Amino acid sequence: MTDHREEIEKTINVLKRGGLILYPTDTVWGIGCDATNPGAIDKIYKLKQRVESKTMICLVSDFKMLQQYVEEVPEVAYDILKYATKATTIIYDRPLRVAENIITQDNTLGIRVVRDPFCGKLIRKFKRPVVSTSANISGKPSPKNFEEIATLILEGVDYVVNLPLQNKGAKPSSIIKIGGDSTVKIIRK
């Protein structure tokens, strides 16, 4: 297994200076930035031509990091993630320590614990969550592989992660919302 050390360093340097990255996640190629930097998040909204009321998700490296960015992780979330057979994003109440312009009006945020080795190492070394949103202009279809990413997106990011351009499955994650009373609602299978 490749350790991607050099690529991770280059990517972190871009994230630290508030830049945008185009990177392979555990689902599809995504546009990302430091989830604690409101200016960087604004750049993504502008690049995607997306209204700020339409939220994006964050990626974290593990359960320990998840606990740092959510006021209280419901027990049911651990069970869902433990038994999930595909990438699963959970919408949590009362996120903490992330930029306000990524939190929805109802004070929730979708967060996914990544399984992809590159993403996991990147986020662990960066020590902060990374925004993840599909690499498309708002309203256009999400690209199923690197070749389908629009030139406008490729030219609009500060760094394209240099990893094999394989199709990683090209399916977005499942999305589940867990309410404060631990009610579970499937948003996207």
Side-chain angles (χ1 to χ4, degrees):
M1 182 163 99
T2 317
D3 72 1
H4 306 299
R5 216 172 297 180
E6 191 176 320
E7 208 50 42
I8 286 171
E9 288 303 321
K10 288 178 183 176
T11 306
I12 285 174
N13 287 334
V14 172
L15 292 171
K16 282 183 177 175
R17 65 174 193 263
L20 303 186
I21 61 170
L22 181 64
Y23 68 121
T25 70
D26 49 349
T27 56
V28 296
W29 277 81
I31 302 169
C33 70
D34 177 352
T36 66
N37 183 329
I41 292 166
D42 281 341
K43 289 182 197 175
I44 291 180
Y45 282 120
K46 188 175 180 185
L47 176 61
K48 285 185 63 92
Q49 301 168 21
R50 186 176 190 158
V51 292
E52 277 194 41
S53 60
K54 196 155 194 261
T55 190
M56 296 178 278
I57 68 164
C58 292
L59 303 181
V60 296
S61 58
D62 51 36
F63 288 144
K64 185 177 177 186
M65 183 179 267
L66 173 65
Q67 293 163 351
Q68 294 171 0
Y69 292 93
V70 176
E71 191 173 297
E72 185 180 344
V73 178
E75 277 304 311
V76 69
Y78 296 110
D79 292 335
I80 290 168
L81 294 173
K82 182 178 174 184
Y83 296 107
T85 56
K86 68 180 268 191
T88 301
T89 300
I90 295 182
I91 300 170
Y92 297 94
D93 287 336
R94 300 179 309 280
L96 303 168
R97 295 185 269 292
V98 293
E100 285 188 25
N101 58 342
I102 197 167
I103 299 171
T104 62
Q105 285 183 321
D106 66 351
N107 197 26
T108 62
L109 177 63
I111 303 175
R112 184 165 73 244
V113 178
V114 295
R115 296 179 177 176
D116 178 76
F118 173 79
C119 281
K121 286 179 190 172
L122 171 68
I123 296 164
R124 209 170 358 272
K125 190 144 178 41
F126 185 51
K127 297 185 175 121
R128 282 179 250 166
V130 173
V131 167
S132 181
T133 183
S134 57
N136 62 308
I137 302 299
S138 193
K140 302 284 185 197
S142 296
K144 292 183 177 47
N145 54 49
F146 186 84
E147 291 75 25
E148 291 183 8
I149 298 171
T151 304
L152 186 69
I153 298 291
L154 291 168
E155 293 174 352
V157 297
D158 298 294
Y159 187 68
V160 177
V161 171
N162 186 17
L163 286 182
L165 307 179
Q166 76 245 14
N167 182 349
K168 301 199 76 89
K171 288 191 172 33
S173 67
S174 296
I175 300 177
I176 296 171
K177 183 171 184 170
I178 300 178
D181 57 357
S182 293
T183 54
V184 175
K185 181 179 180 186
I186 296 171
I187 307 294
R188 180 174 69 200
K189 281 189 175 189

